[in-house]
Amino acid sequence: MRIVRLVLLLVCACHVGTRAFAQEEGDKVVVVSSKAPLRSLLDTTGSVGRGAILVVRYVDGDWYWVYWSNGYQSVKGWINRKDVVPYSEALDFFNRELRRQPTARLYGERGMIWNERGEHDKAIRDYDEAIRLDPGVKQFYNDRGVALVDKHNFDKAITDFDRAIEIDAKFALAFNNRGNVWAAQGEYGKAIADYNEAIRLDPKDASAFYNRGH
């Protein structure tokens, strides 16, 4: 099964420059611009949100080639080095930003980094604070649910995915993730129903098809 965060991994990127030390193929970098644009030679092809974790593949000066997917959508293009920091520096960046101006969004973004590092309790605390500051954001509940799944706390995860769906009944990602929890508990009928709904809401969600087939 593939649990999916709203903003997730699997990217091709490149990195050299003054802001971050030289990267090698396979190194991770993290987006630190609020909405980093991805470009082709002639146009903007899409964007990647702050906190997204990218994997270095190719370098062309200050630009990195990126193919980014969060499981239900994908974009590809070139991202500038000014929009990322090395993975090893990401926590320092978010810590500084939070000291400067603590916002719900920044707590949620730092939570993604903690969870990727396997620090699930710290991730959950950040999501708790993000929800306290802004309880109406579906992403925070979805991402906290993912962290709770990583801790095998399935009941609380279901509650968070339920809440995300209450906020937005068209949130395909939360249906997909809740389906994964049902499947992990052997509730295959409920899992398939959630995958069906995720696919109905977003027919391009490859992970929902994969999970339903599984």
Side-chain angles (χ1 to χ4, degrees):
M1 295 176 295
R2 299 168 67 182
I3 286 281
V4 186
R5 296 150 177 83
L6 188 59
V7 190
L8 229 306
L9 318 181
L10 299 182
V11 188
C12 297
C14 342
H15 193 87
V16 170
T18 58
R19 183 171 189 176
F21 52 81
Q23 303 293 303
E24 297 180 357
E25 183 173 331
D27 288 350
K28 294 178 183 178
V29 293
V30 177
V31 175
V32 293
S33 297
S34 59
K35 202 170 184 181
L38 304 180
R39 296 186 173 90
S40 66
L41 290 176
L42 301 176
D43 200 4
T44 298
T45 60
S47 63
V48 183
R50 187 170 55 192
I53 302 167
L54 318 179
V55 181
V56 172
R57 288 293 179 265
Y58 308 105
V59 178
D60 186 4
D62 289 341
W63 293 89
Y64 326 135
W65 173 252
V66 174
Y67 174 83
W68 176 83
S69 173
N70 62 3
Y72 71 100
Q73 69 181 92
S74 60
V75 289
K76 56 186 176 181
W78 294 94
I79 191 169
N80 194 277
R81 70 173 182 82
K82 67 181 176 57
D83 293 318
V84 301
V85 296
Y87 179 73
S88 61
E89 297 179 11
L91 280 176
D92 288 340
F93 170 83
F94 285 107
N95 290 341
R96 287 194 303 270
E97 290 297 296
L98 281 164
R99 285 194 296 269
R100 185 176 64 84
Q101 185 180 15
T103 66
R105 186 66 61 185
L106 282 166
Y107 277 110
E109 290 160 352
R110 189 176 68 177
M112 289 191 293
I113 304 301
W114 282 127
N115 208 53
E116 167 67 12
R117 290 165 63 99
E119 299 274 4
H120 307 307
D121 290 329
K122 291 179 180 179
I124 290 167
R125 285 197 292 271
D126 270 357
Y127 295 135
D128 289 345
E129 184 62 13
I131 289 167
R132 186 189 69 80
L133 291 169
D134 194 348
V137 179
K138 63 186 179 181
Q139 177 182 342
F140 299 151
Y141 295 95
N142 178 80
D143 290 352
R144 188 173 68 179
V146 170
L148 288 164
V149 170
D150 290 338
K151 284 177 62 66
H152 296 93
N153 195 333
F154 296 137
D155 289 342
K156 287 187 176 181
I158 287 286
T159 299
D160 270 353
F161 295 136
D162 287 347
R163 179 61 182 139
I165 291 166
E166 288 174 8
I167 293 171
D168 183 359
K170 296 182 178 180
F171 192 13
L173 188 63
F175 280 103
N176 187 9
N177 286 340
R178 190 175 68 179
N180 288 339
V181 181
W182 290 129
Q185 297 180 101
E187 297 278 1
Y188 301 120
K190 291 180 179 179
I192 290 169
D194 271 352
Y195 296 141
N196 287 343
E197 184 64 10
I199 291 166
R200 186 188 71 82
L201 292 168
D202 187 356
K204 295 182 179 181
D205 185 349
S207 65
F209 283 100
Y210 174 90
N211 291 334
R212 187 174 68 178
H214 180 80

